[in-house]
Amino acid sequence: MKAHLHDLLRAALDALLAEAGVNAEPAIQLDATKDAKFGDFQTNLALQLAKPLGQPPRAVAEKLVQKLPASAQVAKVEIAGPGFINFFLNKSAFQAVVAEVLKQGADYGTDRSGKAGKIMVEFVSANPTGPMHVGHGRGAAYGDSICNLLAATGWTVWREYYINDAGRQVDILAISVWLRYLELCGVTLPFPKRGYPADYIRRTAQKVKDGHGDALKREAAAVLDGLAAEPVVPEGATDKQKDEIKLQQEAYADTLIQRARSLLGEGYAQLQRIALDDQLGVIRKTLSDFNVGFDQWSSEAELVKSGFVQKAIGLLREKGLVYDKDGAVWMKTEAYGDEKDRVLVKADGAATYFCNDLAYHVDKLDRGWNLLMDVWGADHHGYIARVRAAIEALTGRKDALNVQLIQFVTLSSGRMGKRSGNFVTLQDLIDEAGTDATRFFYLMRGHEQHLEFDIDLARSQTTDNPVFYVQYAHARICRVFDQLAEKGGKFDPAAGLAALQRLDNEHEKNILTLLNRYPETLRRAAADYTPHTLVFFLKELAEGLHSYYNVHRFLVEDDAELQNARLALISAVAQVLRNALGILGVSAPQKMYREETQE
């Protein structure tokens, strides 16, 4: 309906501007009214045109109304206040949505043309040094839903996971696994403070032992030869002392890395590969269980190996945007809005993470994705300016990067029955609450807000649980059709569509209004990057269905016309519930344990 009214206003606007000989292009804003006395939709178009036309807004509104094409769906049009135009629709205009939903099915409200543009969305990209935690899960649910929303509203979308497999953290992973492997071989060594101590490291170490036996075993004396003991933070140390000792511990870990490389030779690369593959395998399984997939997994190590990083640095040099200082290579990011210049290559010749990351972003643009979206944790806020600065410096574009920051998640109200170690993983949460509840709960609040995840509520099978409440609406509708079949009855869709005028009680009007609102809700959620908007819509639609179910009978045996009309309506509700839940990556079950029948 909104699209239809927009077309009417467009025709009236074009006619009025042509008549006045005025060249203006105001945006046509059309909003659903909050009070029925002002009609169903309202526009402020006349107020926007008052200045270009040099006339009072009410006079402009009158001329626009005069030039509106006739429409059988519009009952009347009124001018209110300083010049607002209010549209009152015929009942049939709202009822027609049922036929539209049933005709379009899964495509209702969507635009799958891809003509809106091309966008690459990079999300999750958790370091492959351990299992995904609950914070990663929120980014995964958000990023995947945003991709679904964009794809449903005209965008060509590419989903990418960036594997940070070239940094120092991969070496820390390798030596952590190696030291646990040595324990399995009977060689016990002090475990470094900066290593990864969690139990999953022992699991990976067992895989190394199973695959290589004692081939990577080295005696403790060889590992520790000439290596001073790792410093420990003494009790009562000052913050300055803690920072100094932390640097010493980092240096100790670096020495261990070099020792492992020297002692293992080619075996070190094998060890590192096994460790990475094992952690990535766990990440991939968790994401699969979470209904999250990617078009491509891009490797930082492969990007470096390809020479693209050096190429990017060379391009920056050609543009005069890098300089050498204290043995390091710096980029002039401050000139592009960053708070200071940044190091690209450290004095020891190692590229910084920022250096590789800026090359990766340029690579994405070079692959033809002219708009990039990155979904990052809130702790990356200070990183945005430097990446945008690098992109602008290399491409001249200020609008190429869209960053969405995901706020933190805490768990509340409930003990986890299963834990992977000394922290809660996303897999733990999925196993406890299920994929549907976990995704839905992650998306219930705006991503820029802190989220407290109520585990007890998420795994409860009651209507207090928001995802259960929404899914239960769909299951209730399915149960009505099962009950119809059990009684030997049949639903006649054509007869139902022919009798839509029978849908005139307040519950039916409310549901028809919601069904009409779905396409606009979808577009708004995509445009604002707010999947929680869709969650609110689903809860409202489910509430409308439950209220309708509790007051009115759908199987009206003595009135076939009314029965078919109501069955057509709830069929449309079920379809929109499936569509919206699908965008969020949540299922629409046909059966749930609380199902009952309308007697």
Side-chain angles (χ1 to χ4, degrees):
M1 272 312 309
K2 187 172 182 179
H4 176 66
L5 294 178
H6 187 281
D7 291 342
L8 297 180
L9 282 169
R10 180 79 256 175
L13 173 61
D14 290 344
L16 180 57
L17 292 176
E19 180 180 272
V22 173
N23 184 18
E25 282 295 331
I28 298 176
Q29 184 176 336
L30 193 64
D31 299 304
T33 59
K34 295 180 180 179
D35 191 329
K37 70 181 181 182
F38 297 119
D40 299 298
F41 288 93
Q42 183 180 78
T43 182
N44 66 349
L45 183 58
L47 281 72
Q48 297 182 67
L49 286 171
K51 186 175 181 179
L53 293 177
Q55 300 176 33
R58 281 193 69 93
V60 176
E62 290 171 0
K63 291 181 179 181
L64 279 171
V65 171
Q66 289 171 4
K67 296 184 181 301
L68 282 171
S71 171
Q73 298 179 358
V74 178
K76 65 177 179 176
V77 181
E78 290 184 349
I79 299 170
F84 290 100
I85 300 174
N86 297 334
F87 292 88
F88 294 76
L89 303 179
N90 286 317
K91 286 194 303 181
S92 61
F94 282 96
Q95 293 162 348
V97 71
V98 176
E100 199 65 26
V101 173
L102 297 184
K103 177 183 177 181
Q104 295 187 25
D107 290 331
Y108 173 64
T110 67
D111 172 5
R112 300 288 182 181
S113 69
K115 294 179 180 178
K118 295 176 63 178
I119 185 170
M120 177 190 285
V121 183
E122 180 216 327
F123 61 106
V124 185
S125 297
N127 281 341
T129 53
M132 294 173 62
H133 55 62
V134 293
H136 294 135
R138 191 179 189 190
Y142 176 83
D144 187 61
S145 297
I146 283 297
C147 289
N148 292 338
L149 274 168
L150 292 171
T153 53
W155 288 86
T156 298
V157 182
W158 184 264
R159 306 158 187 248
E160 192 143 311
Y161 187 116
Y162 183 49
I163 307 170
N164 303 127
D165 54 357
R168 180 175 177 273
Q169 76 276 3
V170 179
D171 288 315
I172 297 295
L173 173 66
I175 62 165
S176 299
V177 171
W178 188 47
L179 292 176
R180 295 307 189 198
Y181 160 82
L182 290 176
E183 286 181 13
L184 295 174
C185 295
V187 179
T188 303
L189 294 165
F191 198 84
K193 301 295 184 184
R194 317 314 293 180
Y196 299 128
D199 287 344
Y200 66 84
I201 295 293
R202 296 182 186 276
R203 188 200 67 234
T204 305
Q206 185 63 58
K207 288 190 175 183
V208 176
K209 184 74 166 62
D210 293 342
H212 291 265
D214 290 343
L216 301 178
K217 177 183 177 182
R218 301 295 184 270
E219 296 301 330
V223 178
L224 299 176
D225 183 31
L227 187 64
E230 181 178 21
V232 179
V233 177
E235 204 172 319
T238 65
D239 289 343
K240 182 179 179 181
Q241 289 173 324
K242 291 177 182 177
D243 289 341
E244 290 174 350
I245 292 173
K246 178 182 176 181
L247 290 175
Q248 294 170 15
Q249 290 173 343
E250 296 285 5
Y252 179 85
D254 288 339
T255 303
L256 268 180
I257 291 168
Q258 294 305 318
R259 186 64 52 86
R261 288 182 181 276
S262 174
L263 291 172
L264 296 178
E266 293 182 0
Y268 182 80
Q270 296 175 3
L271 173 73
Q272 192 179 67
R273 188 72 262 162
I274 294 171
L276 273 172
D277 287 346
D278 190 37
Q279 300 313 317
L280 280 172
V282 172
I283 290 172
R284 287 177 185 270
K285 179 190 181 300
T286 298
L287 288 171
S288 176
D289 289 348
F290 205 43
N291 294 336
V292 174
F294 293 89
D295 295 299
Q296 182 168 319
W297 294 64
S298 286
S299 161
E300 180 186 3
E302 289 299 319
L303 187 74
V304 173
K305 186 178 178 181
S306 72
F308 198 87
V309 175
Q310 291 304 315
K311 177 183 175 183
I313 295 174
L315 289 172
L316 289 169
R317 280 199 182 277
E318 290 175 11
K319 293 175 178 287
L321 297 172
V322 299
Y323 60 92
D324 300 316
K325 177 184 174 183
D326 300 328
V329 179
W330 296 70
M331 180 180 173
K332 300 176 182 178
T333 52
E334 187 176 6
Y336 290 87
D338 197 2
E339 60 184 18
K340 63 181 180 180
D341 291 348
R342 303 291 177 175
V343 174
L344 293 178
V345 182
K346 294 181 287 187
D348 62 3
T352 60
Y353 175 79
F354 169 57
C355 180
N356 292 347
D357 203 29
L358 78 86
Y360 171 56
H361 280 80
V362 174
D363 171 62
K364 291 193 283 189
L365 291 168
D366 280 0
R367 283 188 265 150
W369 298 96
N370 57 341
L371 181 61
L372 310 178
M373 177 184 287
D374 288 352
V375 178
W376 294 342
D379 54 340
H380 284 65
H381 181 272
Y383 192 64
I384 299 173
R386 73 189 73 168
V387 177
R388 282 188 173 144
I391 291 174
E392 183 184 351
L394 282 169
T395 68
R397 291 189 54 194
K398 296 182 179 181
D399 61 346
L401 179 63
N402 179 329
V403 178
Q404 299 294 322
L405 294 177
I406 307 297
Q407 280 295 335
F408 299 103
V409 181
T410 56
L411 301 177
S412 69
S413 177
R415 296 177 60 84
M416 298 289 287
K418 178 186 175 187
R419 294 282 292 271
S420 295
N422 57 356
F423 64 98
V424 179
T425 68
L426 174 59
Q427 190 70 55
D428 292 334
L429 191 55
I430 293 170
D431 292 344
E432 285 281 341
T435 294
D436 285 345
T438 303
R439 286 189 64 127
F440 199 91
F441 270 59
Y442 273 137
L443 298 169
M444 283 198 303
R445 299 196 71 181
H447 60 286
E448 74 287 351
Q449 297 177 305
H450 174 81
L451 176 68
E452 187 173 48
F453 194 112
D454 189 331
I455 299 172
D456 280 347
L457 182 60
R459 60 190 171 195
S460 69
Q461 299 292 300
T462 71
T463 53
D464 291 332
N465 179 348
V467 67
F468 184 94
Y469 186 70
V470 173
Q471 291 178 317
Y472 185 38
H474 185 268
R476 264 185 156 177
I477 294 171
C478 293
R479 179 59 189 137
V480 169
F481 284 94
D482 287 344
Q483 186 182 5
L484 176 66
E486 290 166 5
K487 293 181 175 182
K490 289 185 178 181
F491 167 45
D492 185 340
L497 296 179
L500 294 179
Q501 76 281 356
R502 298 291 302 276
L503 303 176
D504 58 2
N505 65 55
E506 290 305 311
H507 290 95
E508 290 161 346
K509 290 177 182 177
N510 176 52
I511 289 175
L512 289 167
T513 299
L514 289 169
L515 295 180
N516 272 287
R517 200 201 307 164
Y518 175 68
E520 178 61 23
T521 301
L522 202 61
R523 286 190 288 272
R524 187 171 71 251
D528 297 340
Y529 312 117
T530 53
H532 70 276
T533 302
L534 207 53
V535 173
F536 294 159
F537 171 83
L538 276 165
K539 290 162 70 175
E540 194 173 357
L541 182 58
E543 181 180 8
L545 183 283
H546 290 311
S547 298
Y548 184 31
Y549 182 98
N550 292 335
V551 174
H552 298 280
R553 291 179 56 80
F554 301 151
L555 302 183
V556 191
E557 296 175 357
D558 58 348
D559 191 340
E561 183 182 71
L562 180 59
Q563 174 175 290
N564 280 313
R566 287 181 173 175
L567 291 178
L569 176 60
I570 65 171
S571 292
V573 173
Q575 182 66 64
V576 171
L577 287 170
R578 286 194 295 274
N579 293 357
L581 285 168
I583 293 287
L584 302 179
V586 177
S587 70
Q590 296 185 16
K591 294 182 181 294
M592 298 179 78
Y593 91 98
R594 283 201 56 177
E595 291 171 15
E596 73 272 19
T597 60
Q598 287 193 330
E599 296 297 341

